[in-house]
Amino acid sequence: MGVVDDRTGPVQSRDRFLHGGSAESVVRSVRSPILSSWQRSLLLGLSPDQAELPFTEDFDAEGPVVRAAAPVLDRLAALFAGSRMNICLADGHGTVLERRFGDKSLPGRLPAIQTEPGFVFAERVAGTNGIGLTLAERQLVQVNGAEHFAERSQSSACTAAPIRDQLSGHIEGVLCLGYPYTDADPALAAVVRRAAEAIERRLMEQSSARERGLLRAYLEAGNLVRAHGDALDGHPVTLAELLLSELEQSDHTTLKEKATELLSGARRAAAEVSLSHGRRVTLVSRPVTSPDGVEGIVVEALLPDEEEHHAPAPAHAHAPAPLHAHAAAPPSGSAPAAPAPAPGTGAVRGLVLVGEPEVGKYAVAARRRLELLAEASTRIGTTLDVGRTARELAETAVPRLADFVTVDVPESVLRGEESGDPTGELHRTVVHGIRDDCPFYPVGERLVLRPTTPHMRSLATGQPVLEPELKAAFGWIAQDPEHAELLLAHNIHSLITVPLLARGVVLGVACFYRSRNPAPYGDDDRSLAQELAARASLCIDNARRYTREHTLALSLQRSLLPHGLPEQSAVEVAHRYLPAESGVGGDWFDVIPLSGTRVALLVGDVVGHGLHAAATMGRLRTAARNFAELELAPDELLTHLDNLMVRLDREEGGDDPAAGSTAIVGATCLYAVYDPTTQRCTMARAGHPPPALLLPDGTVTFPDLPAGPPLGLGGLPFESAEIRLPENSRLVLYTDGLIEDRHRDIDLALEELHRTLAADPGRSPEDTCQAIVDALAPEHPADDIALLVARTRATPPDRIAAWELPADPARVCDVRAAAMEQLGLWGLEESSFATELLLSELVTNGIRYGGGEPVRVRLIHDRTLICEVYDSSNTAPRMRQAANTDEGGRGLFLVAQLAQAWGTRYTPDGKVIWAECALDAA
């Protein structure tokens, strides 16, 4: 209500605002509707010092609103007898129609502007006041003292409520109670509301009385026609008799809906209606006039006689002449008697509806609004895309509610976030209408709106704003006069703005414009727009939340996937990762350099979608890299991953259905290790699709690898298979999202992959990757796709040197000499010192702990110089801290200092100790 007991805040805020202060400086101390009204008043060029108001004698002092309100006004005057209450009734344009006073002497002490009917208090001429603000806000308002725009009203307060036609929802008038601001009472709001509702009921009773008069006219006219011997088609029955006939309930509904349409047509017409069981009925509408001169429409149903119930009705029924009733109405309280049937007419003529055409139009409009709401529940929210959902709202509203719809959404909402400043970052997201030439701001443009616009008012209040006449909407026009003029030139004449709110989050604003229909928007239209926007808001918020989670999951997954490929010489690699549209999954790939120039290739897929799947994928990828660093064989690595999945599933409550946690269902994986020195590839898979292999001669195969169970089942073995890959072979690893699609069989997808690879065997891995994606990836993938294409390379034989020597420490010098000679041939003399020390330590260690079997030495000239020593022992060397008095224990420490990396891997007949030395090592 604003400040009543202490007016200092509103007074200072009003003065500051009127003297050029910004809206932001007073927004905290002034209610939003009052501030918006002040802003509109200034835009209209009104002055607070204005003392006069327009006066007119052209108003209906005896109209329906005045007749309905008179007893209510009298009761209010009696209720407030002796007080300084000024009771006012205004019409829907703000013109005062009637006044009553609590104190009978009050008119003599007040100026004419507050006592005489005919003065206009609309906001456009009087500024902020109770009557004008009620018409602008279209709801009950209270204006107290300094909240008035005019100086003359600073000591007054008022409470006002709109008076609506309960059939149409149109505002027919305003009931306003004025009083000194010191007499303000919170209970006045309830009094005004109840009084306005009483006037609305009396207006409805006037309509009911007119309809009863039309019904009497119809029945009495039928009696007069029969008395004069005139014939009508069929004998009449009452509505109850018609409903008790053989018609089913669905037939009754169909007849009433069609009859309502005929009633709203306000003209003579006939329509044939198809009913159940092949029956047809003809509805006939014709004018009827009551004794009081009320014009209406009567709708009758012509049914065939019982012998002809299944006979088709005539295509065009004879429409009798209009009925004019001149007989006196029956006594009050008595029901009109139904005329007796005339025998032998061969048909039944039943009354379906009688009433005024406007009432029928309201009924038709109400039914169509319900139909639109029912349709909206299926059309809005079909996807989890914010922009698409906003467009579905516009497509649903056009053309039945609006001719044009725009939707403006903050940019952060489009990204899935909550907007910190929804009024400051609005972007035009949707423009949709009956034609494309209307000059609205284009999609994608950032909007900077003034606080007086209906858009900003609806966002500030959280309520829809109705502008029935845009020509008079000065706040809207002031935003951009030239642009407003263009829209008005395209016959845009009425507007409803509705904030998009869901779960306390501001998601944007939807604007509904009317063009073709000359009638302005009303409160029923505003309610319908609000209901549509409310449904769309929930769907938009769901889409926003999904977008946020999808973005988070995608960011998490991309952060867990390789950001770049490691340097290695074994294969040339290209890759693709395509996230699913409906939700990020757990697909991943990896390229892991191993010792001895080998490389591991890995693709996997965690079951499920969302953050949990992405997080599980990250854990598996990390574990797989760690297991690969241990130089495990592919089948052993999958066994370790399987055990890990079982433990993770158990830790997350997978064994307890009541735990409510998101248990890990499982994963698939394909792991391959390629050795370019031997051109051999060892692979194992756990429930994963087999790889595709393109040989240099163009042959495409799908190697028959043992399938293996998916990861997470536990206790089942995995098997490896080894194949030879000639140089320049293409190994294609992929996840099931590439070949599984509900619109395509897997076998057909594999055939398409076969054709794509065979079409051009000479393509690079990058081109091969793109060709596969273009040929097989769905336009809207339902699952993630990870794709890895590797073209094999072979280490040249002249880059490999190998020796075998017996387990004799005296032969260490021989292998050192041979190695130094080989380094000279490779031009690596600068690395000879470090290499000589490395070989001495590694070969000596192999001879000492190799069990007496021969030792093999291999040098590989790659990106680094790789030294490998093979022995038959399975004991892993361990670096330790030697004491000052120890004679040994420093060899591996020396190796670690000289080598760039070193380690051990196991073979079927022993182990290999390897070390990598940088080529520039001295």
Side-chain angles (χ1 to χ4, degrees):
M1 269 184 68
V3 177
V4 176
D5 297 328
D6 180 6
R7 299 172 61 246
T8 302
V11 170
Q12 292 180 345
S13 298
R14 177 177 178 274
D15 291 342
R16 190 161 58 248
F17 177 81
L18 293 178
H19 287 86
S22 64
E24 291 76 10
S25 64
V26 299
V27 68
R28 292 185 178 180
S29 58
V30 179
R31 293 179 295 143
S32 178
I34 299 296
L35 179 58
S36 297
S37 181
W38 287 356
Q39 293 169 331
R40 294 194 297 270
S41 299
L42 287 182
L43 289 173
L44 290 166
L46 300 179
S47 170
D49 300 324
Q50 179 180 348
E52 300 297 328
L53 289 180
F55 178 82
T56 179
E57 295 181 351
D58 185 19
F59 62 89
D60 191 355
E62 297 180 356
V65 176
V66 176
R67 295 198 305 272
V72 179
L73 296 179
D74 292 338
R75 289 197 297 271
L76 287 173
L79 176 64
F80 295 107
S83 70
R84 293 179 290 177
M85 187 67 68
N86 190 335
I87 305 165
C88 172
L89 176 69
D91 65 13
H93 302 287
T95 302
V96 176
L97 302 176
E98 284 282 330
R99 283 192 183 271
R100 301 284 194 279
F101 303 94
D103 186 348
K104 300 298 183 182
S105 64
L106 198 58
R109 303 198 304 268
L110 295 177
I113 197 173
Q114 296 182 17
T115 60
E116 297 296 329
F119 285 97
V120 181
F121 283 82
E123 188 184 67
R124 68 179 185 278
V125 295
T128 307
N129 68 91
I131 295 174
L133 189 58
T134 298
L135 292 174
E137 296 294 328
R138 309 181 74 84
Q139 61 183 348
L140 185 145
V141 301
Q142 291 181 303
V143 184
N144 299 287
E147 291 181 334
H148 288 88
F149 185 76
E151 289 290 345
R152 65 175 182 274
S153 303
Q154 295 300 292
S155 62
S156 302
C158 59
T159 302
I163 300 170
R164 287 184 169 87
D165 184 332
Q166 293 183 345
L167 288 174
S168 65
H170 296 160
I171 294 180
E172 302 293 337
V174 176
L175 176 64
C176 180
L177 301 186
Y179 42 87
Y181 74 88
T182 54
D183 295 346
D185 188 339
L188 287 176
V191 173
V192 173
R193 182 178 289 108
R194 289 196 298 268
E197 292 172 352
I199 298 174
E200 291 174 351
R201 287 194 298 271
R202 290 182 57 81
L203 280 173
M204 189 67 181
E205 290 171 0
Q206 292 179 10
S207 176
S208 301
R210 291 195 300 270
E211 291 184 354
R212 289 195 296 270
L214 290 173
L215 178 59
R216 287 196 296 268
Y218 164 73
L219 296 174
E220 292 169 1
N223 290 331
L224 289 175
V225 169
R226 283 191 301 278
H228 289 83
D230 296 332
L232 291 174
D233 290 340
H235 57 270
V237 297
T238 63
L239 181 59
E241 291 174 323
L242 175 64
L243 296 181
L244 289 174
S245 67
E246 297 180 3
L247 300 183
E248 297 181 359
Q249 186 61 41
S250 60
D251 297 336
H252 299 161
T253 303
T254 302
L255 283 175
K256 289 179 181 178
E257 290 180 355
K258 187 62 180 178
T260 303
E261 295 180 6
L262 291 176
L263 180 67
S264 64
R267 58 186 174 84
R268 189 194 312 272
E272 190 174 73
V273 182
S274 298
L275 304 178
S276 59
H277 306 299
R279 289 179 290 187
R280 287 180 290 181
V281 170
T282 300
L283 293 180
V284 179
S285 65
R286 61 175 181 266
V288 61
T289 305
S290 74
D292 298 329
V294 178
E295 296 181 352
I297 295 292
V298 61
V299 181
E300 298 174 304
L302 299 181
L303 285 78
D305 200 6
E306 292 190 1
E307 291 93 4
E308 304 173 350
H309 275 180
H310 302 286
H316 299 284
H318 167 65
L323 301 179
H324 296 277
H326 303 284
S332 176
S334 62
T345 57
V348 175
R349 178 167 53 86
L351 173 63
V352 181
L353 284 179
V354 61
E356 296 176 88
E358 288 300 316
V359 177
K361 292 179 182 178
Y362 301 149
V364 171
R367 189 179 78 244
R368 289 175 178 170
R369 284 194 292 269
L370 291 175
E371 292 173 350
L372 181 58
L373 288 175
E375 182 179 333
S377 63
T378 59
R379 290 188 61 181
I380 300 176
T382 60
T383 68
L384 287 172
D385 179 81
V386 173
R388 178 59 194 162
T389 303
R391 184 163 189 84
E392 289 170 348
L393 167 62
E395 292 173 346
T396 301
V398 175
R400 285 185 284 180
L401 174 61
D403 297 312
F404 297 94
V405 174
T406 64
V407 181
D408 306 320
V409 177
E411 186 177 11
S412 56
V413 173
L414 296 173
R415 297 194 302 266
E417 305 167 3
E418 292 186 13
S419 175
D421 181 19
T423 60
E425 56 166 342
L426 286 177
H427 278 69
R428 179 57 48 86
T429 305
V430 175
V431 176
H432 182 65
I434 56 176
R435 59 180 188 270
D436 298 329
D437 61 343
C438 209
F440 290 99
Y441 294 132
V443 172
E445 182 168 329
R446 186 174 184 269
L447 304 181
V448 180
L449 302 176
R450 300 180 61 162
T452 56
T453 59
H455 313 64
M456 297 296 282
R457 288 163 55 197
S458 63
L459 288 174
T461 62
Q463 297 296 324
V465 173
L466 169 59
E467 292 287 0
E469 297 292 341
L470 282 178
K471 291 182 179 179
F474 296 98
W476 175 76
I477 294 174
Q479 167 67 26
D480 188 344
E482 293 183 1
H483 183 251
E485 195 65 32
L486 287 174
L487 292 177
L488 292 173
H490 281 74
N491 202 32
I492 304 294
H493 65 84
S494 196
L495 165 66
I496 300 173
T497 61
V498 187
L500 300 175
L501 304 171
R503 304 180 180 98
V505 179
V506 178
L507 303 170
V509 60
C511 303
F512 303 84
Y513 296 86
R514 180 168 281 180
S515 172
R516 288 188 304 181
N517 188 344
Y521 278 128
D523 288 329
D524 287 343
D525 299 311
R526 180 179 62 175
S527 298
L528 176 59
Q530 185 176 16
E531 182 65 27
L532 287 177
R535 299 188 181 197
S537 297
L538 285 175
C539 296
I540 289 175
D541 192 47
N542 290 338
R544 179 191 66 83
R545 290 166 176 253
Y546 167 79
T547 301
R548 179 182 60 186
E549 180 178 341
H550 182 79
T551 302
L552 288 174
L554 184 59
S555 299
L556 174 62
Q557 183 163 37
R558 290 194 182 279
S559 69
L560 297 175
L561 289 173
H563 292 270
L565 297 178
E567 293 184 358
Q568 43 81 36
S569 303
V571 292
E572 179 186 354
V573 178
H575 61 87
R576 291 289 187 278
Y577 170 73
L578 303 178
E581 280 194 352
S582 58
V584 176
D587 293 19
W588 87 96
F589 64 90
D590 213 343
V591 178
I592 308 171
L594 301 177
S595 63
T597 70
R598 298 172 307 136
V599 66
L601 305 175
L602 176 68
V603 291
D605 182 6
V606 175
V607 175
H609 293 86
L611 286 171
H612 186 262
T616 303
M617 176 273 291
R619 299 163 82 175
L620 280 181
R621 176 174 178 253
T622 301
R625 291 186 68 89
N626 291 333
F627 292 147
E629 292 289 338
L630 296 176
E631 304 281 2
L632 298 178
D635 55 339
E636 294 180 16
L637 183 139
L638 292 182
T639 300
H640 282 282
L641 287 180
D642 184 47
N643 294 334
L644 173 64
M645 286 289 291
V646 172
R647 288 196 301 272
L648 291 177
D649 190 47
R650 186 180 301 117
E651 291 172 2
E652 298 196 14
D655 295 335
D656 183 10
S661 62
T662 307
I664 301 171
V665 177
T668 65
C669 183
L670 172 60
Y671 184 73
V673 176
Y674 173 69
D675 187 346
T677 63
T678 61
Q679 300 180 33
R680 309 292 296 182
C681 182
T682 305
M683 293 181 282
R685 62 187 178 119
H688 202 82
L693 178 61
L694 172 62
L695 297 176
D697 61 2
T699 303
V700 178
T701 62
F702 294 91
D704 186 16
L705 302 180
L711 301 177
L713 295 182
L716 298 175
F718 298 93
E719 296 183 52
S720 297
E722 185 177 86
I723 58 175
R724 185 178 184 278
L725 299 182
E727 187 175 9
N728 291 322
S729 297
R730 246 65 55 87
L731 187 63
V732 180
L733 284 67
Y734 51 88
T735 56
D736 57 3
L738 182 70
I739 58 174
E740 290 185 3
D741 185 65
R742 58 185 176 183
H743 304 296
R744 179 181 58 193
D745 187 75
I746 294 180
D747 292 336
L748 296 178
L750 291 175
E751 290 177 6
E752 181 64 30
L753 177 59
H754 186 286
R755 286 192 296 269
T756 302
L757 292 174
D760 187 357
R763 280 188 291 230
S764 67
E766 184 67 30
D767 293 339
T768 302
C769 223
Q770 189 59 48
I772 293 173
V773 170
D774 293 341
L776 280 91
E779 184 177 357
H780 302 285
D783 193 9
D784 288 18
I785 297 175
L787 176 64
L788 195 64
V789 177
R791 178 164 61 187
T792 62
R793 296 175 178 143
T795 303
D798 60 356
R799 290 290 187 108
I800 304 174
W803 303 273
E804 183 173 326
L805 66 157
D808 182 1
R811 302 293 301 272
V812 175
C813 60
D814 297 336
V815 75
R816 280 204 307 265
M820 295 305 101
E821 181 181 355
Q822 184 63 51
L823 291 180
L825 295 176
W826 287 341
L828 301 179
E829 292 86 351
E830 293 183 358
S831 302
S832 59
F833 177 74
T835 305
E836 186 176 9
L837 290 177
L838 285 173
L839 278 177
S840 296
E841 292 297 333
L842 294 180
V843 172
T844 301
N845 189 79
I847 292 175
R848 178 177 298 177
Y849 300 104
E853 298 292 330
V855 174
R856 290 184 295 119
V857 178
R858 187 170 71 163
L859 294 181
I860 304 174
H861 182 194
D862 192 56
R863 296 175 182 270
T864 59
L865 180 62
I866 302 172
C867 304
E868 296 180 338
V869 176
Y870 296 74
D871 63 53
S872 59
S873 171
N874 291 319
T875 303
R878 183 172 59 87
M879 185 171 60
R880 62 185 179 87
Q881 184 70 42
N884 293 335
T885 58
D886 291 343
E887 295 184 0
R890 297 178 179 84
L892 290 180
F893 178 78
L894 181 62
V895 170
Q897 298 303 310
L898 294 174
Q900 181 175 288
W902 74 280
T904 305
R905 69 175 183 268
Y906 292 92
T907 64
D909 53 0
K911 69 176 185 295
V912 180
I913 303 178
W914 57 269
E916 294 183 4
C917 187
L919 296 181
D920 58 352

